[in-house]
Amino acid sequence: GDSVKLRYGDKKEDSPWLWRYMEKYTCDMARLFHGFRIDNCHNTPLHVGEELLRAARHVRPNLYVVAELFTGSEEKDCEIINRMGISSCVRELSQSHSPRHLGELIYHYGESKPCGSFVQSTLSADLAGGPHQSVKLVPSRPHAMLMDQTHDNPCPFDQHPLPNVLALSGLMCAAKCSIGSNRDMTSWYPITSTSLTRRDSTVVRVRAERRL
């Protein structure tokens, strides 16, 4: 794979230097940026993520944390989100395998509101009643950041014809949740590195495709 595993141990005393180094690095990044993207978050030890994000939020309390979180279980996703304080999970529309699946993704992560809906939500209507209006709190799904494609996806034109790509971006923009794209990045960096392999004890990147 393309991830390096560090031995944090079960507590700071198990690897004091590593914990100090990573806390300093995390706090430095929090001073520079308003948000983090946690790659491979589902393989990050929970106690490590909790502690490092806690340190980052001492520097920037309103830090926005986006996570690549693919556990295969919404219950497990919720546990990680709640413990680490994740703002949004990355969800890729380019991975939808049919129009029905695409619609389900947009509806599911769009707070179950019709795409492009102007219908006033019940919560907004209740809050408009005044400061003493009671509001019923109900469970909600994990918040998502829908992306037409991410940095490690193939070029969209390798997966779909041009009209499909434009429609995908349009539907994403109408969804009732956070959205994002790296489309501009792929315009000036047209190389996709797609896999890693081991040869002669050296990890080398072996496949690169020139994007259109």
Side-chain angles (χ1 to χ4, degrees), residues 60-80:
R60 191 177 295 278
N62 294 325
L63 185 72
Y64 192 89
V65 181
V66 181
E68 182 188 50
L69 191 58
F70 301 113
T71 65
S73 165
E74 195 166 273
E75 183 177 348
K76 183 64 176 178
D77 286 353
C78 288
E79 179 187 359
I80 297 173

Side-chain angles (χ1 to χ4, degrees), residues 46-98:
L46 270 174
H47 67 290
V48 175
E50 284 180 299
E51 188 61 32
L52 293 182
L53 288 176
R54 186 180 297 116
R57 287 188 170 105
H58 279 303
V59 176
R60 191 177 295 278
N62 294 325
L63 185 72
Y64 192 89
V65 181
V66 181
E68 182 188 50
L69 191 58
F70 301 113
T71 65
S73 165
E74 195 166 273
E75 183 177 348
K76 183 64 176 178
D77 286 353
C78 288
E79 179 187 359
I80 297 173
I81 290 167
N82 290 330
R83 288 185 57 177
M84 294 177 62
I86 293 170
S87 308
S88 302
C89 297
V90 174
R91 294 293 180 257
E92 303 166 348
L93 293 183
S94 62
Q95 300 303 311
S96 55
H97 50 73
S98 68

Side-chain angles (χ1 to χ4, degrees), residues 10 33 40 44 56 79 88 96 106 113 116 134 146 161 196:
D10 296 326
F33 302 102
N40 225 7
T44 301
E79 179 187 359
S88 302
S96 55
I106 295 175
K113 300 293 183 183
S134 61
L146 290 182
L196 293 170

